Amino acid sequence: MLPLLLAVICFSTVQGFSIYSAEKLCYGATYTLPSRYGPDSFSGLLIFVPREGSEQKIVMNNTLGVDPRYKVTKTSVSVPNLTERDEGTFSVMLYSKKTYNVVNLKILDCSEKESRKYGEPYTCKVPDGAQFLEFTPRSQDKITVLWKHTDPEIHRGGRGRVRWNVWEMKKLTQEDNGYYNFRGKDNVLLRRWKLTVQGDDDDLAD
């Protein structure tokens, strides 16, 4: 079970309005904003500004959800399956047109750590309910799907395969360094690990 919430919350109040909280959650968790910013309690604009310099997004406009990335119900606003792109600041704009920062969200790397030597194999059990396995090379944003439950032949030409419910990779190289995610239904994260391959061709030759 992934640790879903590692949060330290600090509030400041201006005229009775809570204007700031700092939240830290693990990659893959779901974050639900405080209930006072839900549609049944708040009227105005709810805005999100990503940390990585992207343009701000309107999350909710007068109780109406705007961006499909966010799940808006009658009583809550949440962000499922968190990734690094969800790191940033939520703000509210009231009728006075004044903007208040209300939540700063930081995404933590809570992945398991795995280490193997160059040329060694790697195996692991496929979690119950897994639908696909995705891979993100270190220092890159490109995601590659390595395996799908509904299309087991997708691995052809790839770096590994599932056999007898076990994911296996032969003769690891530096290209296998990175993050691996098993995901289930509705993209729910079941397992995440960071694989580090130590050494190179010279070490194998020795």
Side-chain angles (χ1 to χ4, degrees):
M1 177 69 68
L2 288 172
L4 294 185
L5 174 62
L6 302 172
V8 177
I9 307 176
C10 304
F11 293 107
S12 299
T13 303
V14 174
Q15 297 180 345
F17 193 85
S18 296
I19 64 170
Y20 184 79
S21 68
E23 305 279 2
K24 297 180 180 181
L25 287 91
C26 292
Y27 183 107
T30 294
Y31 173 64
T32 301
L33 276 82
S35 59
R36 57 188 168 277
Y37 307 123
D40 61 341
S41 303
F42 173 75
S43 293
L45 284 179
L46 177 62
I47 301 165
F48 176 71
V49 181
R51 182 179 65 85
E52 291 297 338
S54 301
E55 293 184 359
Q56 69 180 25
K57 304 177 182 180
I58 297 178
V59 177
M60 187 174 69
N61 185 1
N62 289 330
T63 76
L64 180 64
V66 176
D67 192 313
R69 174 67 185 98
Y70 306 92
K71 183 178 180 181
V72 179
T73 69
K74 292 181 179 179
T75 59
S76 67
V77 179
S78 60
V79 195
N81 300 315
L82 292 170
T83 72
E84 296 90 344
R85 295 184 179 90
D86 298 308
E87 192 165 279
T89 302
F90 289 91
S91 304
V92 294
M93 181 181 291
L94 306 179
Y95 293 114
S96 64
K97 303 299 182 181
K98 188 170 183 178
T99 300
Y100 296 89
N101 292 338
V102 294
V103 175
N104 179 262
L105 181 59
K106 182 177 178 60
I107 310 303
L108 303 178
D109 180 9
C110 302
S111 60
E112 302 172 28
K113 304 298 187 291
E114 298 270 12
S115 179
R116 297 290 189 277
K117 292 182 179 179
Y118 188 97
E120 287 185 341
Y122 176 84
T123 62
C124 68
K125 185 179 182 299
V126 177
D128 293 340
Q131 297 296 309
F132 62 96
L133 172 64
E134 61 186 18
F135 169 63
T136 305
R138 193 172 302 174
S139 303
Q140 295 185 32
D141 291 331
K142 183 179 179 181
I143 297 176
T144 301
V145 175
L146 301 178
W147 168 80
K148 280 186 179 180
H149 177 70
T150 56
D151 184 13
E153 296 302 311
I154 197 173
H155 73 272
R156 290 189 179 278
R159 293 290 301 135
R161 66 175 181 174
V162 169
R163 188 179 184 185
W164 305 109
N165 207 38
V166 172
W167 171 253
E168 57 182 24
M169 303 167 69
K170 298 180 179 180
K171 296 183 178 180
L172 294 172
T173 72
Q174 291 297 325
E175 293 182 357
D176 299 314
N177 280 309
Y179 291 91
Y180 295 78
N181 299 326
F182 272 117
R183 294 189 181 272
K185 187 178 179 181
D186 298 326
N187 212 41
V188 172
L189 184 64
L190 301 178
R191 186 195 175 202
R192 176 175 170 83
W193 74 97
K194 178 182 179 182
L195 178 62
T196 300
V197 179
Q198 302 174 336
D200 52 28
D201 285 322
D202 292 336
D203 295 317
L204 191 63
D206 293 340

